[in-house]
Amino acid sequence: MSANTDRYESAVARYFEAWNAREPEALAKAVAAAWAERGGYADPLADVRGHEEIAALVAAAHAQFPGFVFRLTGAVDGHHDTARFSWELVSEASGAAPVAGSDVITLDAQDRITSVLGFLDRVPAGT
């Protein structure tokens, strides 16, 4: 693990703040804090770029899974401008976690995300 671990952990914390923001204004602010202006996000179900498209993707996830939050599972590992981590989507009511994955992020010089490559490790049938 890098001696500059705080850089990666801070970037991932902003990433989760964005994914867990529900109100449109808070979501827009959190996405702008986490991602570079033309930053992107890609996983098997989505490929978006820019703050508006990322915010729309997050809002769609909350619409599909109301009452759920994203949470980090395990440690953040990083080197150079890249970090990786795992996460799950957890029901606030029951604690069930029907969705889980691992992401790799790339950061710019201001520690904002330029790209996310997401991998879905567990998804509900029909998703």
Side-chain angles (χ1 to χ4, degrees):
M1 180 149 312
S2 167
N4 196 10
T5 302
D6 287 349
R7 175 185 189 209
Y8 309 112
E9 290 175 353
S10 294
V12 171
R14 287 190 304 275
Y15 176 83
F16 281 104
E17 285 176 26
W19 276 101
N20 287 321
R22 293 183 177 142
E23 299 301 320
E25 187 175 311
L27 174 55
K29 184 176 178 179
V31 167
W35 269 270
E37 188 173 328
R38 291 295 303 152
Y41 176 92
D43 69 20
L45 305 174
D47 189 357
V48 298
R49 181 158 299 282
H51 292 172
E52 287 183 18
E53 289 183 11
I54 293 166
L57 178 66
V58 171
H62 285 290
Q64 184 175 2
F65 295 97
F68 282 74
V69 294
F70 289 87
R71 92 173 159 204
L72 181 67
T73 60
V76 176
D77 185 23
H79 63 83
H80 296 86
D81 292 329
T82 305
R84 67 179 177 170
F85 54 93
S86 296
W87 54 267
E88 59 187 3
L89 184 61
V90 181
S91 168
E92 292 177 297
S94 71
V99 182
S102 299
D103 291 350
V104 176
I105 62 173
T106 304
L107 304 175
D108 66 12
Q110 290 75 43
D111 294 340
R112 290 173 50 201
I113 298 168
T114 58
S115 71
V116 176
L117 295 176
F119 297 86
L120 300 174
D121 301 326
R122 181 174 63 238
V123 295
T127 301

